[in-house]
Amino acid sequence: MERRDFLKVSGIGVATFIFPVMGNPLIAQEMQKFNILPLHGLREVSHENVKLDGGFWGKRQDNHHHVTIPHVLDQLDKTGHMTNFDTASGASNGPFSANLDGNHAYDSDLYKALEGVLYSLTHYENKELSARVDNIINRITAAQQDDGFLISYFIGSKENERWDDIRLNHQTYNAGHLFEMAVEHKRLTGNDTTINAAKKFADHIDRRFGPDKLYDVGGHEEIELALVKLYRSTGDTKYLDLCRFFLDERGHAHGTERKPFTMVPKEVPVRTPGQSDAEFKRVELFAKLRWRNGRMQDHKPLIEQDAIGHAVRAGYIYSAMADISRFSDAPEYEKAVEHIWNDVVFRKLYITGGIGTAQYGDEGFGDPYLLPNDTYCESCASIAHVFWQHRMNLLKGKAKYADVMELALYNGAISGISLEGNTFFYENPLQSSGTSRVPWIETACCPTNLTRIIPQVGGFQYAQNEGNIYVNLYAAGKAQIEIENNLTITLSQKTDYPWDGIIQLTVNPESPSVFTLFVRIPGWAKGNPVPSDLYHFAKAEINPFTLKINGESVNTTANNDGYVELDREWQKEDVIELNLPMPVSRVYANEKIEADIGKISLMRGPIVYCLEEADNPDLDFAKFELQPNTELRAYHRQDLLGGVTVIEGNADQQKITAIPYYAWANRSEGSMTVWFDEGEV
Ligand code: FUB
Ligand code: ZN
């Protein structure tokens, strides 16, 4: 199970492809053919061109490959996710596995995990795992029906209900995750089997839904962003059009299939005199649907919406809005998604980057500024949030989106998985009286989403356009980026980020080349924990960052988009040294957030801290007050929680220790809080 260099050797699938080293112009052409470039904004630098090695993410990815992947695949096996496809294909007689909720979304869990495995196999040689993937994919595709339909639950048990109630039954959500996985399988192996199955199912959906066909949309968005990926991978514009249809149709009811849904308060219908059982049942059902649909981003056209409703679904559909704006001319969606972004970042965002409260019982956004700390913040919601912010950065080329992406990634998202890599959280509250992570969650969206986000982090690190390279994240490793004229630039980062803000970036063009490096100066390094007035640091004073090239100081500031622009002729082995000072910062919330009034939290760099009982056994978190003048010190403890920087202080002769929020609940079960009271001076 060796780490690969920039060499992809696939053992998966019928055809075994040996991909030459990146930078080969033939490969570049081939990739371009299967990877339509955006019309607007920036272009990704795929995770396959970025090798994170050592450092925070390199270690995480090793652990993910060796622990998380086998654990998650075993769990999926145990819970019948694979055998459902055997039942559907007729290879076995069942029984058909389901979770208590009904298992319409069961297939999606497997697809997400496989997608993660495929990212990981790009970076690790692992024949056994490749063979396991082959086996699973063969069983999946064997279940596909002649007309393209492919959802094991319906094939196995409810053939006549295939497309019933698509707002509650996850059909298009399953399909979307199949498409995403298939695109990765094609990318890694060059093998067409899975992408052909995805196309066949997408074509089936396209024959059914669309203008002058069925006017309907799925209740759990996801297919929209996946259709953009399918379009990019196949070059078939039909998939982009179908994405556009699913976006445009939300909030409308052009056909007769459904009624327009209006946002209504949750209501409990009262039976009217003389109403029959059947009539009353119907009234009850419609009351429920009216309410739920109002919370699935379907209560009015997307271009008129605020951030409302189920937070995971929201993250996915906002991602698709950003994508449609990048891959077609859709200025109305660009405007709308910016409006929603402002609503989230100025009014509905936790300091951990988490989104979604329990206010409406719908795992969705609450009212503005209503951000209780003992809340929901699903791992999937933070992950969808990362995907969305990444796409916003690509669309707009502004660092503020990468700021929020980084915040959600380091805090709200990875808090969902233990340091050992084999237990999970569904919810990520900012305050708890104690709870434990679990090896598996029956509704397995979060463990499998965590399985796919960790191995693709390298893909969030850089972006590019017209010969410019954007550096968005700091993490040890190496990237190979092909800019204009088939010229490959190797960028290497040496850094202990997020524990230390010193980053050494070595630029290695194949030959001396003129291009601009846009180096992100994180908002936190300029005194802003978030790019809005929702949270602020105690002191407005900023410890200025410094930048040197080949040892010489460069006097520079970030541009209006949040990047330092370094435009020059780059030579082999040019070295940039960026120093982002990382003081301990006290964070205050906007006074409109009632839950945080009189409280502070701590941040250092992009990391949000918490107090956990394991380090502070004698502290009563409810009564504890940190004095404004208490000195706080940060120091690194390699022996603790896989190596973390802790923050310590002596408050009222009592030592307090704060640890990174993402690392809580990795020892004994005990209370935890991100926000705590601040005393008077
Ligand atoms: O419905 C599929 C997934 O299960 C959602 O995204 C999560 O919120 C969980 O309900
Ligand atoms: Zn989830």
Side-chain angles (χ1 to χ4, degrees), residues 312 378-380 426 445-446 449:
V312 184
E378 185 180 334
S379 302
C380 284
Y426 181 91
C445 51
C446 295
N449 235 344

